[in-house]
Amino acid sequence: MRIITGSARGCRLKTPKGQETRPTSDRVKESLFNILGQKVSGRHVLDIFAGTGNLGLEALSRDAADACFVDQATAALIKENAAHAHLLERAEVHGGDVFAELSRFARAGRSFDLIFCDPPYHKGLFEQALVFFDESQVLAHDGILVVEHGAGENDMPELSRLCCVLNRRYGHTTQLSFFQRKAYFEEDDL
């Protein structure tokens, strides 16, 4: 796994041993960042269920202002990857439970312009995250939420403030769904 482009282009990222983490493939990541285009530059990024830090580090390499990473199991690995890519000075890493950290961010009034959510598939976590972002202000008013979920995970929870503006399927295993606030969504935004 490597950073595709930007200031850390070509930098290889370490992955954890074992099968607990399922990194986003380079093909899916490249498609994701092609869709986002210039919407990454200058953004405040949140990468939850971050694993190796792959998505947030790619955003930093592409000139995001900063990135906050949350993953209970791999926080040390994310810091190591950020340091190796020379991006640590713009990275903030949290090793707590994702939903506890999100609640803490909400209580502190923190919001992010671009959020990557890549939880383990088929555990109900992406649905739980969608409900949280729909009910909180952690996603900025004009922000973009990108959720990676299993190809068979199509039951979206009822959302009052967020809408899915784009969905792409990659093979038999992966989908990317892009969400924005209904009040902000414009037809040609993504």
Side-chain angles (χ1 to χ4, degrees):
M1 182 183 346
R2 64 186 173 80
I3 294 178
I4 298 170
T5 196
S7 65
R9 180 181 180 173
C11 181
R12 296 221 171 261
L13 303 177
K14 290 185 178 182
T15 59
K17 292 178 174 44
Q19 300 297 317
E20 292 298 311
T21 300
R22 172 205 33 79
T24 301
S25 73
D26 282 350
R27 178 178 151 248
V28 172
K29 182 170 69 168
E30 186 170 11
S31 177
L32 161 61
F33 281 94
N34 284 341
I35 291 167
L36 291 173
Q38 295 301 314
K39 291 179 173 61
V40 176
S41 182
R43 296 281 185 139
H44 300 286
V45 175
L46 175 62
D47 187 352
I48 61 171
F49 303 102
T52 61
N54 185 19
L55 297 177
L57 291 172
E58 184 73 37
L60 285 174
S61 181
R62 293 173 185 242
D63 205 29
D66 50 54
C68 180
F69 300 84
V70 181
D71 196 303
Q72 191 166 19
T74 62
L77 178 67
I78 295 166
K79 284 182 183 175
E80 187 177 341
N81 280 335
H84 179 67
H86 305 287
L87 299 168
L88 188 58
E89 68 280 354
R90 293 185 290 141
E92 174 187 341
V93 182
H94 296 267
D97 172 78
V98 167
F99 293 103
E101 293 295 325
L102 288 174
S103 294
R104 198 168 56 80
F105 295 156
R107 285 191 305 275
R110 291 188 69 181
S111 66
F112 299 87
D113 307 309
L114 178 58
I115 299 175
F116 298 115
C117 176
D118 185 11
Y121 293 172
H122 307 292
K123 294 190 178 200
L125 295 171
F126 96 90
E127 297 94 336
Q128 188 178 347
L130 281 174
V131 170
F132 175 85
F133 290 118
D134 188 60
E135 294 173 352
S136 75
Q137 298 299 316
V138 173
L139 177 65
H141 176 72
D142 60 346
I144 300 169
L145 168 63
V146 182
V147 179
E148 184 174 335
H149 53 106
E153 293 182 294
N154 295 312
D155 293 333
M156 297 287 173
E158 189 170 322
L159 304 171
S160 60
R161 295 184 186 107
L162 295 178
C163 64
C164 183
V165 296
L166 182 66
N167 177 272
R168 295 279 168 88
R169 187 175 171 146
Y170 300 90
H172 299 291
T173 58
T174 303
Q175 290 186 78
L176 290 177
S177 296
F178 296 75
F179 294 85
Q180 288 183 293
R181 295 209 177 278
K182 290 178 181 176
Y184 183 77
F185 171 65
E186 296 173 16
E187 197 64 40
D188 298 324
D189 210 22
L190 280 180

